[in-house]
């Protein structure tokens, strides 16, 4: 140091008080970190993946080391890897044992971090960036806004607050999350469309991006999908008379077609009318992940929440162990209860999924 100069004041990341933060507060926490580990929820979707990759890229840009990971049991699906051309994602067993700042993207509850949940106990700071109304309040700091159409919209604000111009990879990652969580801009209104346009201007080319995201499936997927859909059942009296359409995917099929299975619930929804669609896929033998879609009435996030899961009024999920009939019975019961007792949720910016 030149004589007479004053050492720069250390960045006081401890100066951001715990609790809710705005984008500037989140940026301050990240700038003051000695290292950042960005996580998204297990079995990530494009919103979790896009948020984590775009944010970690921005953090690196301000000269703070950052990596991304997703807790097991499942690996990141191949098509989502197209959102990570710079290889920021590391395997869960390669993450720093004691991250300084842990960021949890698109995760409403600690359990959504899967095998990486214990990191919450060792990180100095945990910042949750999320848009679920079912957010449980975990973490030391949070930037949570249920009106945001996707978590990527919140990440976009943080990246701007960090003063980092978007590169093409970040624009693609953010666009992918925005597109999928709004159901292809069906939801989210003009703000989502404006953000989408900005991301296209920044280098996200939708045609090529969405082709890569849907991936390519083997010919065998057609037969598997036909079998799954042929096994679908409709229960007109369920959900207080609105009806329930459900189907199941066994463990072997769920494992083999991991990238394709999340799309099935859309087929069920297309024939569920004003009712509820539910896909139950066996994530490991005897363990089921139920993915639900509806109009928001009954509020599926409340239904899933009472069973230990979460989500949004029109798109929610839960994991349950046991025979599939028991899982279905639990869903039937909670759907009936919610249909009778539930207040109508505010569906203003209701995200479609993710
Ligand atoms: P998906 O059906 O696309 O997996 O998820 C729909 C919505 O429900 C997303 O917001 C997702 O984060 C949430 N969700 C899905 N599964 C679970 C779960 O097991 N627990 C919680 N808390 N939320 C879930
Ligand atoms: Mn989301």
């Amino acid at each position: 140091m030149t004589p007479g100069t004053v050492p720069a004041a250390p960045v006081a990341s401890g100066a951001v008080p715990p609790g809710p933060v705005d984008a500037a507060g989140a940026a301050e926490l990240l700038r003051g970190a000695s290292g950042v580990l960005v996580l998204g929820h297990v079995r990530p979707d494009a919103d979790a993946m896009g948020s984590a990759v775009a944010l970690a890229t921005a953090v690196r840009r301000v000269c703070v080391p950052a990596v991304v990971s997703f807790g097991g049991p499942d690996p990141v699906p191949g098509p989502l890897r197209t959102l990570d051309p710079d290889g920021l994602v590391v395997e869960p067993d390669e993450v720093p044992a004691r991250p300084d700042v842990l960021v949890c993207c698109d995760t409403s509850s600690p359990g959504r971090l899967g095998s990486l949940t214990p990191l919450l106990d060792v990180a100095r700071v945990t910042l949750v960036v999320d848009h679920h109304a079912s957010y449980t309040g975990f973490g030391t700091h949070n930037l949570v806004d249920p009106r945001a159409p996707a978590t990527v919209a919140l990440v976009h604000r943080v990246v701007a607050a960090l003063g980092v111009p978007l590169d093409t990879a970040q624009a693609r990652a953010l666009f992918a999350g925005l597109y999928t969580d709004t159901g292809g801009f069906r939801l989210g209104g003009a703000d989502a469309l404006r953000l989408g346009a900005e991301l296209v201007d920044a280098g996200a080319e939708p045609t090529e991006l969405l082709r890569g995201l849907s991936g390519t499936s083997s010919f065998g997927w057609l037969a598997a999908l036909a079998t799954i859909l042929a096994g679908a059942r409709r229960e007109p009296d369920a959900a207080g008379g609105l009806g329930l359409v459900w189907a199941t995917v066994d463990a072997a099929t769920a494992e083999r077609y991991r990238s394709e299975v999340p799309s099935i619930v859309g087929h069920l929804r297309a024939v569920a009318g004003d009712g509820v669609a539910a896909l139950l896929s066996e994530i490991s033998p005897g363990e089921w992940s139920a993915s639900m879609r509806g109009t928001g009435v009954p509020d599926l996030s409340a239904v899933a929440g009472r069973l230990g899961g979460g989500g949004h009024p029109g798109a929610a999920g839960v994991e349950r162990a046991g025979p599939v009939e028991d899982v279905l019975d639990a869903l039937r019961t909670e759907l009936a209860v919610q249909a009778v007792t539930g207040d109508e949720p505010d569906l203003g910016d209701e995200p479609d999924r993710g």
Side-chain angles (χ1 to χ4, degrees):
M1 189 183 308
T2 343
T5 57
V6 182
V11 182
S13 63
V16 183
V21 292
D22 59 11
E28 192 179 336
L29 283 172
L30 296 168
R31 273 185 186 283
S34 59
V36 175
L37 171 60
V38 187
L39 306 179
H41 59 74
V42 283
R43 284 178 282 285
D45 57 11
D47 194 26
M49 178 76 170
S51 297
V53 167
L55 187 59
T57 304
V59 170
R60 284 189 179 186
R61 218 50 71 62
V62 296
C63 301
V64 173
V67 288
V68 172
S69 196
F70 300 90
D74 292 351
V76 175
L80 282 185
R81 298 237 175 220
T82 59
L83 301 179
D84 179 31
D86 301 325
L88 279 77
V89 175
V90 302
E91 294 304 317
D93 57 2
E94 292 167 4
V95 303
R98 264 176 194 281
D100 183 43
V101 172
L102 186 66
V103 185
C104 307
C105 293
D106 206 34
T107 46
S108 56
S109 59
R112 295 285 282 157
L113 298 173
S115 64
L116 295 176
T117 306
L119 290 175
L120 291 172
D121 298 328
V122 294
R124 180 179 62 85
V125 165
T126 298
L127 167 66
V128 178
V129 183
D130 187 31
H131 70 131
H132 289 98
S134 57
Y135 167 58
T136 61
F138 78 101
T140 59
H141 298 74
N142 66 81
L143 173 57
V144 175
D145 182 357
R147 289 163 308 171
T151 298
V152 290
L154 301 173
V155 166
H156 178 257
R157 285 188 220 158
V158 179
V159 174
L162 282 167
V164 171
L166 293 177
D167 67 16
T168 301
Q170 284 173 304
R172 295 178 85 255
L174 295 173
F175 186 93
L178 185 63
Y179 183 90
T180 54
D181 261 35
T182 58
F185 295 102
R186 284 181 194 87
L187 303 158
D191 285 346
L193 286 160
R194 267 187 289 269
L195 176 54
E198 182 182 334
L199 297 172
V200 172
D201 280 342
E205 205 286 292
T207 311
E208 172 268 335
L209 168 57
L210 296 172
R211 194 185 304 125
L213 263 194
S214 14
T216 50
S217 301
S218 64
F219 188 65
W221 168 238
L222 282 188
L225 177 62
T227 304
I228 294 162
L229 296 181
R233 293 291 174 266
R234 187 158 63 102
E235 301 182 10
D237 297 333
L242 292 170
L244 168 68
V245 174
W246 59 266
T248 61
V249 182
D250 63 62
T253 309
E255 155 99 42
R256 179 154 180 200
Y257 295 108
R258 188 177 282 137
S259 300
E260 289 86 353
V261 163
S263 67
I264 300 171
V265 73
H267 295 289
L268 305 179
R269 181 184 212 174
V271 298
D274 292 335
V276 174
L279 180 76
L280 288 86
S281 52
E282 197 175 18
I283 48 181
S284 60
E287 274 215 56
W288 296 86
S289 165
S291 173
M292 293 184 278
R293 296 290 183 275
T295 62
V297 180
D299 180 343
L300 298 179
S301 102
V303 169
R306 277 199 300 276
L307 295 169
H312 307 287
V318 57
E319 292 178 11
R320 305 274 290 183
V324 70
E325 253 320 311
D326 292 2
V327 180
L328 271 166
D329 271 341
L331 284 184
R332 289 182 184 111
T333 302
E334 293 304 338
L335 284 169
V337 168
Q338 184 63 28
V340 173
T341 62
D343 296 329
E344 293 201 9
D346 172 11
L347 295 177
D349 275 333
E350 160 63 359
D352 180 57
R353 59 182 305 271

